[in-house]
Amino acid sequence: RAIAARGMAGLRVRDVAAEAGLSAGLVSYYYRDLDDLVLEVHQDAVDRFYWARARAAEEVADPRERVVRLVEGGLPTDADDIVCRVLYETHVHAARSRVHAALLTALWDREVSLYSAALQHGRDRGVFRLQAPVTEIASNAVALEDAYGLHIVGGNSSLPRERAQVLVLRFLETQTGCSLGLDDGAT
């Protein structure tokens, strides 16, 4: 919550302590360096985000529904989505930190692998007629989610979550040759 509220540049131990209901001294006792705490928070956010998506996709066998669930899980719920806000803040920090850059890369690779598995599953079952290599489609889907997600957490009123979801699904419909349940009026 402190990262989401203040950003990485303005983050102080006392902000973290206030959010946790602890003294700054106690936070400093367990985390001698604020960067160590931020790294742990980044790792936790990566894991929460990835595993929530993986579980949601695994719950369904239908390839179309699996892809829809991945898209739903890949976009922030709204501008206040705490996990996504932390991910965006820490990912920007990755430009100045090899460890944070490694977490950013790992999340990207894991997300691409989720889409790749779902797309291959649909292709193998004869549901999808892929228009490009699996990894290319998967990478573009993740990039679209990331781009639209930034607008969602940034509060862009011209791009609400529902619109972003339709746009990602439309892209995936063209790449899979398969309807993903959007009605013709969805824009």
Side-chain angles (χ1 to χ4, degrees):
R1 289 188 306 265
I3 291 171
R6 295 193 59 90
M8 292 294 296
L11 188 65
R12 301 169 302 185
V13 169
R14 77 175 126 197
D15 301 320
V16 174
E19 287 291 341
L22 302 170
S23 71
L26 188 57
V27 172
S28 294
Y29 176 79
Y30 286 102
Y31 294 96
R32 298 206 186 278
D33 189 329
L34 182 60
D35 289 339
D36 293 339
L37 174 58
V38 170
L39 181 60
E40 193 168 314
V41 168
H42 189 177
Q43 178 68 60
D44 181 66
V46 164
D47 289 342
R48 284 177 190 233
F49 186 76
Y50 171 79
W51 286 111
R53 294 185 80 183
R55 281 189 289 276
E58 289 172 0
E59 290 175 353
V60 294
D62 180 81
R64 292 171 293 259
E65 182 62 25
R66 191 173 285 184
V67 167
V68 170
R69 292 243 182 133
L70 285 174
V71 173
E72 290 171 350
L75 293 168
T77 54
D78 56 30
D80 297 321
D81 184 315
I82 193 76
V83 171
C84 288
R85 289 182 63 92
V86 167
L87 286 172
Y88 283 112
E89 286 287 341
T90 53
H91 286 173
V92 168
H93 189 60
R96 294 175 296 284
S97 164
R98 281 190 281 168
V99 179
H100 286 282
L103 286 171
L104 169 67
T105 301
L107 180 58
W108 171 270
D109 292 342
R110 291 164 79 184
E111 289 182 284
V112 169
S113 73
L114 283 175
Y115 269 111
S116 294
L119 293 166
Q120 289 169 352
H121 174 67
R123 181 191 61 206
D124 294 348
R125 294 197 53 204
V127 176
F128 296 157
R129 294 177 314 282
L130 301 181
Q131 305 300 306
V134 168
T135 304
E136 186 176 303
I137 298 168
S139 295
N140 280 317
V142 174
L144 285 171
E145 289 173 355
D146 288 350
Y148 292 141
L150 184 59
H151 285 272
I152 293 167
V153 299
N156 181 345
S157 62
S158 294
L159 189 64
R161 182 186 196 281
E162 296 75 22
R163 174 76 175 131
Q165 185 170 320
V166 167
L167 291 169
V168 177
L169 288 171
R170 287 279 188 229
F171 163 75
L172 288 166
E173 283 183 335
T174 65
Q175 295 301 301
T176 61
C178 181
S179 172
L180 295 174
L182 296 172
D183 63 37
D184 289 336
T187 56

